[in-house]
Amino acid sequence: MKLDDRIKELIAIGASITANCQPCLDYHTEKAREYGADDQDIHEAIQIGKTVRRGAAAKMDKYAASFNVPDVNHEGTGNGCGCSLS
């Protein structure tokens, strides 16, 4: 089976969500619409990406907990996206 451009862009939308990449999501959503994707298609791709991201995050949280170090929450500190430790 050969994937058409619409399906490839929907996959890219899910991957954009999983990678937390807003510019990619904007680009691939626009391209998916150009190839005939509708709101429902895009919604489903986003939901799949969120599901994959949650699963990966849960596994990483469990793995990180295995290091037995105090959980320090730096969320919301500094400027930018919140991933800075300063």
Side-chain angles (χ1 to χ4, degrees):
M1 173 177 111
K2 183 170 171 50
L3 300 177
D4 63 27
D5 290 331
R6 181 181 145 276
I7 297 297
K8 289 177 185 177
E9 291 301 330
L10 291 169
I11 292 168
I13 288 170
S16 299
I17 292 291
T18 304
N20 295 311
C21 185
Q22 292 176 2
C24 291
L25 179 60
D26 290 339
Y27 174 82
H28 292 294
T29 299
E30 182 179 329
K31 295 303 280 182
R33 288 190 191 284
E34 287 177 19
Y35 291 123
D38 61 21
D39 288 344
Q40 183 62 34
D41 295 331
I42 293 167
H43 173 76
E44 288 181 36
I46 289 170
Q47 291 309 113
I48 291 168
K50 287 179 175 182
T51 300
V52 172
R53 183 180 64 199
R54 272 192 306 271
K59 292 283 187 181
M60 180 54 82
D61 290 347
K62 184 177 179 179
Y63 178 68
S66 73
F67 287 88
N68 295 319
V69 294
D71 184 22
V72 179
N73 184 357
H74 295 284
E75 188 176 338
T77 61
N79 295 320
C81 66
C83 65
S84 174
L85 297 179
S86 60

